[in-house]
Amino acid sequence: MAGLVGLGRRHLSSRTRVLATTLELIVAVFQRCSYTTTIAASSSYSSAREEEAGWRKEKGRWLTLPPFAPPVDASYVRKAIASGQRPAGEEEPTTALKWVRRCCPHLPMSLVQKLFRLRQVRRDLTKNGSHMDGYYGQQQLRRVSAKDVMMPGDVILLPVTVQNVATKKYDYSESEEEISFIRSLELYKDSAIIAVNKPPGMPVQGGVGIKYSMDALAAKSFKYDYPESPRLVHRLDRDSSGVLVLGRTQTSALVLHSIFREKTSGALSDTTCRALQRKYLALVIGTPKRWKGLISAPLTKIVLEDGKSERITIVKDTKTASSHHALTEYQVIRSSAHGFTWLELCPLTGRKHQLRVHLAEALGTPIVGDYKYGWYAHRKWEPMPWPESMSEDEKLPKNKPPFGLELDGGSIAEKQPFLHLHCKQMILPNISAALWQLQSSSVDHDFLELEKLNLVAPLPLHMRVSWDILSCLPR
């Protein structure tokens, strides 16, 4: 019995020693892991501090974007203006990716995504009063992901090298004379928009073979002290003239885009309730049967036989997939016994070449100088005689304009008259006041009382001369 007890004690002692050894090994492993983790954490912390120190040493390494301010949704503002009150509902939050795209529209989307993917986008924590890791009073940067939601006051930084990606769309410099000429076209300016009187012959948008265009010239001449260049929000034909509106900021440009894209369904509403009203003056060949009316004719685009040229035409089948309904109000202003008529036009929709096609095909009275849609009426064109009561100097500009513009001649007294189509007036909401109200702390606003801007552009020289010629001749 005693032997059995001794054997049991020796067996228990052996098991105890094994268990103790095992525990010692486990403790050693934990201590080693803890030591390794501490070293790694310390190394990571030191690396982070060194990286932060490197950021502070390399001044100018970062390009600082404007502090984030919640943008106003364009359709949201348009609905507020149309309804006369603030619409219900919350706006979609803005992510860091959207804010970078909004601040740097010239950067390719692929590059912006790459910056986020490589974790090269930072947020400045000192701009909104946050302080981390004891670096009080010093710039502190944190990586930001593309999906992070922006808060008011957040400041985003990008690598300064993105400045080298700036577009070279406008690769020419303007002289003081050219800048002075462009700025002389200015009709109105506030914090949201700039309105100009576009001269005939100047393209609105650049492209292949176009050296000078309004968007490029405005980007330099009308930027003033703004961080952004003005943006186009609608179009005018190259050979037409008149009121052209540009948005001074991306927010105002988006709102104006939404207003200019009014749907046909609301085009026949009361004139006083329309957010946008446009009036054109045109000199046409012939006289409409009715002195006043509404042209309702859908338009479509067709490709000519050469396979390259295209034109707009009226389509009878409204079920055609590519057709777009178009509405134009017209009214006779003055008629002449010589076969010319001055018309006032109010487009209720904004289709390409809408006025030119409606007058040429629907009314049968093409615009003077429209050789694309009224070529048949110019085959036997005969210039009008120059009235003796008018001085020859009246048909010459005071100074030769820059940018290769041909502003002399072009009246009905010439063999090849210019296009006689001019946007003389535009009435639209005061976008600057609307944005200020929506961004204020007040909840209820009466947008029905919102001020209207009345923009008026003087006639170009060739149309003034044609008007004077027809006024001097007997009717």
Side-chain angles (χ1 to χ4, degrees), residues 84 402 455:
L455 309 174

Side-chain angles (χ1 to χ4, degrees), residues 207-367:
V208 179
I210 296 177
K211 184 177 181 180
Y212 304 109
S213 59
M214 284 303 302
D215 61 343
L217 298 174
K220 293 189 174 183
S221 300
F222 293 132
K223 185 177 181 180
Y224 296 108
D225 57 346
Y226 269 52
E228 306 174 64
S229 298
R231 299 169 170 84
L232 291 174
V233 296
H234 68 111
R235 302 287 187 270
L236 287 178
D237 292 345
R238 177 173 185 162
D239 295 324
S240 63
S241 57
V243 181
L244 180 69
V245 176
L246 303 100
R248 300 196 69 181
T249 64
Q250 185 172 32
T251 301
S252 62
L254 290 172
V255 174
L256 288 166
H257 268 300
S258 182
I259 291 176
F260 274 90
R261 288 198 303 266
E262 279 186 314
K263 296 182 179 180
T264 309
S265 57
L268 293 175
S269 60
D270 184 13
T271 304
T272 58
C273 297
R274 295 175 193 157
L276 175 67
Q277 301 174 48
R278 290 167 288 183
K279 292 184 179 180
Y280 286 74
L281 186 66
L283 180 62
V284 301
I285 302 173
T287 303
K289 296 180 180 179
R290 297 181 179 179
W291 282 58
K292 184 178 181 180
L294 173 67
I295 304 173
S296 176
L299 303 176
T300 189
K301 180 172 63 177
I302 60 174
V303 180
L304 302 183
E305 295 180 355
D306 58 6
K308 300 179 181 179
S309 305
E310 60 182 35
R311 58 178 292 158
I312 308 298
T313 186
I314 293 177
V315 59
K316 296 181 179 179
D317 185 8
T318 57
K319 296 181 180 180
T320 304
S322 59
S323 66
H324 300 281
H325 203 63
L327 300 170
T328 303
E329 290 180 341
Y330 74 91
Q331 182 177 357
V332 173
I333 300 299
R334 179 185 295 181
S335 62
S336 170
H338 300 275
F340 298 102
T341 304
W342 288 101
L343 296 179
E344 182 182 80
L345 309 170
C346 297
L348 306 184
T349 53
R351 311 304 181 194
K352 182 179 180 180
H353 296 174
Q354 174 179 319
L355 299 180
R356 297 165 62 182
V357 176
H358 273 180
L359 295 182
E361 298 186 12
L363 290 187
T365 55
I367 301 175

Side-chain angles (χ1 to χ4, degrees), residues 315-444:
V315 59
K316 296 181 179 179
D317 185 8
T318 57
K319 296 181 180 180
T320 304
S322 59
S323 66
H324 300 281
H325 203 63
L327 300 170
T328 303
E329 290 180 341
Y330 74 91
Q331 182 177 357
V332 173
I333 300 299
R334 179 185 295 181
S335 62
S336 170
H338 300 275
F340 298 102
T341 304
W342 288 101
L343 296 179
E344 182 182 80
L345 309 170
C346 297
L348 306 184
T349 53
R351 311 304 181 194
K352 182 179 180 180
H353 296 174
Q354 174 179 319
L355 299 180
R356 297 165 62 182
V357 176
H358 273 180
L359 295 182
E361 298 186 12
L363 290 187
T365 55
I367 301 175
V368 172
D370 189 353
Y371 303 105
K372 183 169 187 174
Y373 298 104
W375 59 271
Y376 55 89
H378 291 82
R379 288 181 298 179
K380 298 181 180 180
W381 174 265
E382 291 292 337
M384 294 294 295
W386 191 262
E388 297 180 359
S389 59
M390 292 180 61
S391 170
E392 289 286 338
D393 296 337
E394 295 185 29
K395 63 179 181 179
L396 298 175
K398 296 181 180 180
N399 299 308
K400 185 173 179 60
F403 310 115
L405 293 174
E406 297 291 340
L407 301 184
D408 57 326
S411 70
I412 56 176
E414 305 292 334
K415 292 183 178 180
Q416 290 187 332
F418 297 161
L419 183 68
H420 282 55
L421 179 62
H422 177 75
C423 181
K424 67 173 186 175
Q425 184 181 24
M426 187 177 296
I427 301 175
L428 70 161
N430 189 331
I431 304 301
S432 177
L435 292 176
W436 182 84
Q437 289 188 38
L438 286 171
Q439 293 172 348
S440 65
S441 58
S442 178
V443 177
D444 298 324

